Amino acid sequence: MEAKDQNRISDSIRLILDKRPCIRASVEFIGEKNLDDLKRRDNFQEEISCLFDRFSEAYGRLSEEAKAGCGLCGVAADVSFKVDMEKGEVVLDKLYKYCIMDFHLFTELLQILQSNFADYILVVPSLQGFELAREIQRFLGTPWIECIYLKSDRHERLLSGKLLPNAAFPEILKDTQKHYEAKGETQKERYLREKHLLDLGLEISMYFWGSEGEEEVLWMYVEIPLSGN
């Protein structure tokens, strides 16, 4: 594909996103090889445009108080991902919602991705939040953990997924729930505070109980087929 065509594609996508100031989004396509790739890209672009339109409409129905809880300049959602058509991967760098909205952004995005790239792998290089991890587990199944970065009271460590048990991902979800449900007034207060952030659509930290005791999950690199496992 010629450079001028690549520039035209980027400009087209940028114009679509710029119409919706409540969404800060970055969508990149690389590795288009044939007409089938171009057809997939164009169809996805049309569907994602409709999704962002519906999100904008939902945002427009929010009260002024709810809108005030959004990010800088009224940004209600932050979405960033790359579709690598040569590798057959969708790399999700960021998916974040800043306020209470009856709009399940990951569910809606996943449906579009599956309708166009069902044979691709979903890659999340820096999965941090409990809510997104829980939705990945719910809709796709248990992802493979390539590596995980953990923090304890003593130190931080990067651990290969090969050193983790097969059920590590669902265990992390369970350990996280146990962490926030722990008894004791301090833990209860923390749970209520973190739950409030989750209700706002913000992410809360995950926790893992392993050989080092309880450790906070700072991030983990995960992969899973978009068709589910």
Side-chain angles (χ1 to χ4, degrees), residues 57-64 66-67 70 76 99-102:
E57 290 172 2
Y59 172 81
R61 292 192 293 270
L62 292 178
S63 67
E64 292 303 317
K67 289 180 180 179
C70 291
C99 59
I100 298 175
M101 289 182 67
D102 186 19

Side-chain angles (χ1 to χ4, degrees), residues 127 130 133-134 136-138 141-145 148 164-178 206-209 217 220 222 224 229:
L127 178 59
F130 176 67
R134 185 168 59 178
I136 289 173
Q137 175 77 36
R138 176 185 176 189
T142 301
W144 162 252
I145 301 176
I148 184 170
L164 297 170
N166 292 334
F169 191 87
E171 287 299 321
I172 288 172
L173 298 184
K174 292 179 182 177
D175 290 344
T176 300
Q177 289 178 312
K178 291 178 182 178
M206 290 183 285
Y207 291 85
F208 173 62
W209 189 273
V217 178
M220 52 182 162
V222 304
I224 190 169
N229 55 15

Side-chain angles (χ1 to χ4, degrees), residues 7-208:
N7 291 335
R8 179 184 59 79
I9 292 167
S10 298
D11 290 343
S12 177
I13 294 175
R14 189 177 303 114
L15 287 172
I16 288 175
L17 301 182
D18 284 346
K19 293 192 301 181
R20 304 166 182 86
C22 66
I23 301 176
R24 181 165 51 218
S26 172
V27 182
E28 181 184 2
F29 281 86
I30 62 173
E32 300 99 319
K33 302 184 295 293
N34 51 46
L35 289 177
D36 181 62
D37 286 345
L38 296 177
K39 183 178 180 181
R40 285 202 205 198
R41 183 209 66 204
D42 292 344
N43 188 63
F44 175 83
Q45 182 177 331
E46 181 178 348
E47 292 183 13
I48 199 72
S49 177
C50 291
L51 169 62
F52 289 161
D53 277 340
R54 289 190 288 109
F55 185 90
S56 296
E57 290 172 2
Y59 172 81
R61 292 192 293 270
L62 292 178
S63 67
E64 292 303 317
E65 181 180 1
K67 289 180 180 179
C70 291
L72 186 66
C73 301
V75 175
D78 206 339
V79 183
S80 177
F81 61 94
K82 176 176 65 178
V83 180
D84 190 326
M85 308 189 88
E86 184 173 3
K87 293 182 178 179
E89 294 179 347
V90 175
V91 182
L92 181 59
D93 290 317
K94 187 180 295 184
L95 182 66
Y96 206 80
K97 191 171 65 174
Y98 291 95
C99 59
I100 298 175
M101 289 182 67
D102 186 19
F103 199 102
H104 300 281
L105 193 55
F106 177 76
T107 309
E108 298 275 359
L109 177 60
L110 180 60
Q111 290 175 349
I112 297 175
L113 289 172
Q114 287 178 321
S115 69
N116 293 280
F117 310 109
D119 53 332
Y120 280 34
I121 301 293
L122 176 66
V123 178
V124 188
S126 56
L127 178 59
Q128 298 175 333
F130 176 67
E131 182 69 11
L132 179 55
R134 185 168 59 178
E135 290 194 344
I136 289 173
Q137 175 77 36
R138 176 185 176 189
F139 293 110
L140 293 176
T142 301
W144 162 252
I145 301 176
E146 183 69 28
C147 59
I148 184 170
Y149 198 68
L150 300 165
K151 178 182 178 181
S152 67
D153 292 336
R154 298 184 298 277
H155 56 78
E156 298 179 7
R157 61 177 180 145
L158 180 64
L159 192 63
S160 169
K162 296 178 182 179
L163 301 178
L164 297 170
N166 292 334
F169 191 87
E171 287 299 321
I172 288 172
L173 298 184
K174 292 179 182 177
D175 290 344
T176 300
Q177 289 178 312
K178 291 178 182 178
H179 172 87
Y180 290 113
E181 292 169 357
K183 294 182 179 180
E185 187 171 353
T186 302
Q187 286 286 351
K188 182 178 180 181
E189 289 176 351
R190 182 176 182 180
Y191 167 74
L192 292 174
R193 175 172 57 82
E194 300 285 8
K195 184 178 184 301
H196 174 66
L197 293 177
L198 187 58
D199 290 340
L200 288 175
L202 305 181
E203 290 286 10
I204 61 175
S205 297
M206 290 183 285
Y207 291 85
F208 173 62

